[in-house]
Amino acid sequence: MPDTQYVLAIDQGTTSSRAIIFDHGGQIVSVGQKEHEQIFPRPGWVEHNATEIWDNTRAVVALALANANITHRDIAAVGITNQRETAVVWDRTTGVPVYNAIVWQDTRTQKIAEDLGALGGGADRYKARVGLPLATYFSGPKIRWILDNVEGAREKAERGDLAFGNTDAWVLWNMTGGVNGGVHVTDVTNASRTMLMNLDTLSWNEEIAAEMGIPLSMLPEIRSSSEVYGEGRTGGLLPGVPIAGILGDQQAATFGQACFEVGTAKNTYGTGNFMLLNTGTSPVPSKNGLLTTVCYKIGSQPAVYALEGSIAVTGSLVQWLRDNLGLISSAPEIEALAKTVDDNGGAYFVPAFSGLFAPYWRSDARGALVGLTRYVTKAHIARAALEATAFQTREVLDAMNADSGVDLTELKVDGGMVQDELLMQFQADILGVPVIRPKVAETTALGAAYAAGIAVGFWSGEQDVIDNWAEDKRWEPDIDDSERDRQYRLWKKAVTRTFDWVDEDVH
């Protein structure tokens, strides 16, 4: 392919949708970005307007093309990456969602998860087959909730009129024509987050779908992460351009970080934090509260699996301090505020806003700020909020070391929060291993671009990804062992204070 061509990645994230254009060297050429509304109808409920997401996707693609001064003719392929587990259910005949998208952070499906567990096996009822515990996090119970609670939805679903997808499938369906022949497909990484896909066969599990009351006709076809699924619709911004890569956001970041060797890992600092460890072509069951998930699948090659530690609230805690408390007026201000003090003043902030994810999986937990004295200022709280991200990451790393039997010697990091130098240094301190940031920190979009580009021959394969990866900065641990142990001990004590908060009569 000529050097003048580019690959476009659509990164449909939790707080915004972005389109990023990359050149052959994996460098960013231009970006379009637009935030969408976060909808909180009740405590614990989190929704997005899927129609707004599709409108914003078109807007950011137009912006990225305009900023680069190119047209669809210069784009070799499009890759899609997305917030996983956020469930969209729409009418195939009208193209209209039957309800808002239910976001991965939403906790309304707790009763559904408990009822399914009560059939036998508890939270681990499906884990051997799908790699996931029964939890509010995953898509399957969200579909069930929509079918049970939206008038007429179940009848339409039984007729075959409704379609489900995480936001990757929703964006792809619309990009390829929507009601006029839209392609209803997802990839193995997104399918592995629904609680409905067999990890070994990479196919839908009919028995689990039936137990959840979900008609198989709603589910998208499962394909690899790197192949041509369809082309941009006539009349759209990308007519005829192959859409050729899909990876859930955390798997995309793992791909963009060139974690192709067994035992390599990355941690993404976004709305939540997600650490993935490549375990090779066999799924590894976790004994320490991690998820077994599909990492990627290139065309007809065997699927590669990962262990994942998922943390619900990290960057969104900074957003909460900004939007709900007014402690800061913009997210980057938190670092400057936290830097005005030398430590957390004894305060520990456990942001269990959506319960606790890995390694605890406690949906009965809620957020707590502990260790308060009159000495504590807003600067200490800002610092405690940043440190919470690092402490939660340490808990996940400990679980990974225990599951894999190999201690990680370094951690590759990416995502919005890696620009925060204070956080990155504290992360290295509390882990006791170096933390490494790549030159292109937008590894989520980059991973989706690589998957799409490999499918059409723009890149030859994983070696091109490895060759393009470059280190930007490295933080070495700078704290003595006794102080690290003391702080981590107090953090673990703080976490226990969040347990058992939600009683049966708390909605």
Side-chain angles (χ1 to χ4, degrees):
M1 291 205 170
D3 292 338
T4 52
Q5 286 195 301
Y6 308 98
V7 172
L8 184 145
I10 292 167
D11 180 356
Q12 201 301 291
T14 307
T15 57
S16 70
S17 300
R18 292 184 297 176
I20 304 183
I21 294 170
F22 293 95
D23 65 17
H24 197 268
Q27 299 298 305
I28 293 173
V29 176
S30 74
V31 180
Q33 179 165 356
K34 198 166 182 185
E35 287 195 8
H36 53 262
E37 184 185 2
Q38 305 297 311
I39 303 164
F40 307 107
R42 296 187 195 174
W45 290 30
V46 190
E47 298 176 1
H48 293 154
N49 180 332
T51 303
E52 181 191 9
I53 283 174
W54 169 233
D55 290 345
N56 287 0
T57 300
R58 284 179 292 169
V60 297
V61 168
L63 201 55
L65 291 170
N67 288 342
N69 198 26
I70 60 174
T71 72
H72 66 276
R73 292 183 183 86
D74 301 295
I75 303 294
V78 177
I80 297 171
T81 182
N82 60 296
Q83 50 168 331
R84 309 164 305 169
E85 307 97 13
T86 293
V88 187
V89 174
W90 68 94
D91 189 314
R92 296 177 191 276
T93 56
T94 64
V96 178
V98 300
Y99 189 78
N100 278 339
I102 301 181
V103 179
W104 57 272
Q105 300 157 310
D106 190 285
T107 58
R108 78 184 69 183
T109 54
Q110 180 58 28
K111 177 89 168 60
I112 294 171
E114 287 171 358
D115 289 349
L116 290 165
L119 297 173
D124 289 342
R125 179 167 178 77
Y126 306 130
K127 197 170 184 187
R129 288 175 280 176
V130 304
L132 313 172
L134 269 164
T136 59
Y137 182 20
F138 306 108
S139 314
K142 296 176 169 59
I143 307 170
R144 164 76 172 268
W145 189 94
I146 289 172
L147 296 183
D148 286 351
N149 290 277
V150 175
E151 193 175 342
R154 184 163 291 286
E155 292 76 14
K156 282 185 178 178
E158 301 289 356
R159 285 202 307 266
D161 290 344
L162 296 190
F164 151 78
N166 293 344
T167 59
D168 65 303
W170 167 245
V171 168
L172 176 70
W173 187 78
N174 281 294
M175 286 186 75
T176 53
V179 293
N180 298 311
V183 175
H184 189 210
V185 159
T186 192
D187 89 303
V188 287
T189 68
N190 273 287
S192 76
R193 313 301 291 194
T194 59
M195 215 188 287
L196 297 167
M197 187 190 81
N198 296 305
L199 273 180
D200 52 356
T201 61
L202 308 179
S203 59
W204 297 121
N205 185 302
E206 296 182 24
E207 186 186 338
I208 296 174
E211 275 192 12
M212 290 197 194
I214 298 168
L216 287 173
S217 61
M218 293 180 71
L219 305 180
E221 182 187 347
I222 302 172
R223 305 269 281 274
S224 82
S225 312
S226 178
E227 61 177 273
V228 177
Y229 314 108
E231 295 181 342
R233 66 201 167 95
T234 307
L237 291 161
L238 300 161
V241 178
I243 301 166
I246 300 174
L247 286 158
D249 52 9
Q250 304 314 319
Q251 286 92 338
T254 309
F255 203 85
Q257 285 273 38
C259 294
F260 301 126
E261 296 292 319
V262 174
T264 51
K266 68 87 208 179
N267 197 29
T268 297
Y269 296 72
T271 302
N273 260 41
F274 303 88
M275 192 186 299
L276 270 74
L277 173 77
N278 183 323
T279 62
T281 52
S282 298
V284 174
S286 172
K287 297 181 176 67
N288 294 281
L290 302 179
L291 309 176
T292 304
T293 197
V294 180
C295 196
Y296 59 88
K297 184 181 190 306
I298 303 301
S300 59
Q301 295 176 28
V304 172
Y305 295 87
L307 282 168
E308 174 175 333
S310 312
I311 302 166
V313 177
T314 55
S316 54
L317 176 56
V318 177
Q319 197 176 32
W320 182 82
L321 291 174
R322 180 193 71 189
D323 298 343
N324 292 40
L325 298 193
L327 203 65
I328 49 176
S329 57
S330 68
E333 286 176 29
I334 194 162
E335 183 182 10
L337 180 57
K339 271 184 171 171
T340 62
V341 290
D342 293 330
D343 55 37
N344 61 21
Y348 289 80
F349 201 154
V350 186
F353 296 166
S354 300
L356 286 168
F357 284 15
Y360 299 99
W361 298 105
R362 295 287 298 251
S363 55
D364 60 354
R366 286 296 179 269
L369 181 55
V370 301
L372 296 183
T373 62
R374 289 195 63 184
Y375 173 73
V376 171
T377 66
K378 67 178 183 178
H380 293 113
I381 291 171
R383 189 165 184 124
L386 290 178
E387 290 181 355
T389 294
F391 283 126
Q392 291 180 99
T393 297
R394 164 71 189 272
E395 293 190 293
V396 166
L397 186 74
D398 286 354
M400 266 191 187
N401 288 343
D403 270 341
S404 66
V406 181
D407 286 356
L408 281 181
T409 55
E410 61 180 34
L411 185 65
K412 287 180 173 178
V413 299
D414 54 72
M417 293 179 85
V418 300
Q419 303 307 319
D420 190 316
E421 305 256 343
L422 178 72
L423 171 59
M424 291 297 102
Q425 182 58 56
F426 187 76
Q427 185 69 87
D429 289 345
I430 216 68
L431 293 181
V433 299
V435 169
I436 302 162
R437 181 175 71 195
K439 283 205 166 138
V440 178
E442 296 294 350
T443 53
T444 302
L446 183 57
Y450 280 138
I454 288 168
V456 299
F458 185 77
W459 287 292
S460 59
E462 290 97 319
Q463 191 58 48
D464 282 349
V465 182
I466 294 165
D467 293 343
N468 283 347
W469 189 93
E471 181 177 316
D472 174 48
K473 185 157 184 181
R474 171 183 295 254
W475 288 268
E476 298 284 349
D478 186 24
I479 187 176
D480 63 49
D481 291 347
S482 62
E483 178 60 15
R484 178 185 300 119
D485 293 345
R486 183 189 74 85
Q487 293 211 36
Y488 192 44
R489 184 188 79 240
L490 289 169
W491 164 261
K492 296 285 254 187
K493 190 193 290 190
V495 170
T496 65
R497 303 302 192 262
T498 71
F499 295 165
D500 298 313
W501 185 259
V502 178
D503 297 327
E504 281 190 10
D505 60 349
V506 176
H507 299 296

